Amino acid sequence: MSGTSGSRPVLLLMDFQHGIVESIGAPSVVDAADRAAKAARAAGIPVMFVRVGFRPGFPEVAASNASFSAAAQAGDAYLQDHPATQVHAALTPEPGEPVIVKRRVSAFTGSDLDVLLRGAGADTLVLAGIATSGVVLSTLRQAADLDYRLVVLEDACADRDEEVHRVLTGKVFPRQAVVTTTDEWIESL
């Protein structure tokens, strides 16, 4: 499930940052992401972290952007240097593992993810993140349009709405990705 023979996967751990993890309260999802990261490292698969954050004053946020203009009005919790936007302590990146700062919902938009993936020679993305209906959905759609093979670790994703998570992982994502559990993916390595 890591992709076809000869594939070059990269594990993307997306929006596992303090403010988001703590607001969702999904310790089993963080645990699954941690298991995936440890297994990827052991198998020589690059691990990359993605987080959302903005510069002071929120110059990247247009007033017309309903989601992020509300975040900008809420205060400093979405500033790129704020503790709430840092990778969750349970998933500390190892030296040399990139931490990508994005400026929108998709991991690609407003970040250098594409350059890093090309540098790694990636052709397969293994996705884990919070929220299933946010960063996972947006990144999956954009990655599919960029011709990546895709794997979604269903139990390493979470959403505030469990029904939305179930529909996306059970009905929508399988059209463009292999949807599996973290343990099944680890066994396939």
Side-chain angles (χ1 to χ4, degrees), residues 122-139:
D123 65 1
T124 302
L125 304 183
V126 181
L127 306 179
I130 303 173
T132 313
S133 63
V135 67
V136 180
L137 173 62
S138 293
T139 302

Side-chain angles (χ1 to χ4, degrees), residues 29-133:
V29 174
V30 175
D31 179 61
D34 184 49
R35 288 194 326 275
K38 287 174 179 166
R41 290 172 184 133
I45 295 170
V47 178
M48 297 183 186
F49 295 81
V50 178
R51 63 188 186 90
V52 62
F54 301 96
R55 293 175 183 91
F58 296 88
E60 306 90 348
V61 178
S64 60
N65 186 311
S67 296
F68 291 120
S69 63
Q73 297 301 317
D76 295 345
Y78 277 94
L79 290 179
Q80 64 190 9
D81 295 328
H82 193 279
T85 66
Q86 305 310 303
V87 174
H88 195 274
L91 298 170
T92 303
E94 293 197 350
E97 291 178 340
V99 177
I100 296 113
V101 179
K102 65 185 176 93
R103 312 298 181 177
R104 292 293 182 269
V105 178
S106 170
F108 287 97
T109 305
S111 79
D112 59 353
L113 177 60
D114 182 57
V115 172
L116 289 164
L117 292 172
R118 284 188 281 132
D123 65 1
T124 302
L125 304 183
V126 181
L127 306 179
I130 303 173
T132 313
S133 63

Side-chain angles (χ1 to χ4, degrees), residues 11-12 15-16 20-21 24 31 37 43-44 48 51 57 61 72 74 94 104 110 118 146 155 161-162 166-168 177:
L11 174 63
L12 292 181
D15 291 3
F16 285 101
I20 294 172
V21 168
I24 294 272
D31 179 61
M48 297 183 186
R51 63 188 186 90
V61 178
E94 293 197 350
R104 292 293 182 269
R118 284 188 281 132
L146 294 170
D155 59 333
D161 186 328
E162 184 56 38
R166 187 189 66 73
V167 169
L168 287 171

Side-chain angles (χ1 to χ4, degrees), residues 119-188:
D123 65 1
T124 302
L125 304 183
V126 181
L127 306 179
I130 303 173
T132 313
S133 63
V135 67
V136 180
L137 173 62
S138 293
T139 302
L140 180 139
R141 293 292 199 189
Q142 194 164 355
D145 283 347
L146 294 170
D147 298 324
Y148 285 100
R149 291 184 194 107
L150 295 161
V151 176
V152 176
L153 303 179
E154 183 271 334
D155 59 333
C157 298
D159 200 275
R160 289 187 191 285
D161 186 328
E162 184 56 38
E163 179 66 8
V164 169
H165 173 81
R166 187 189 66 73
V167 169
L168 287 171
T169 59
K171 296 179 183 261
V172 177
F173 293 173
R175 295 177 189 156
Q176 294 176 298
V178 171
V179 178
T180 188
T181 67
T182 300
D183 290 337
E184 288 170 346
W185 179 70
I186 291 169
E187 288 174 22
S188 75

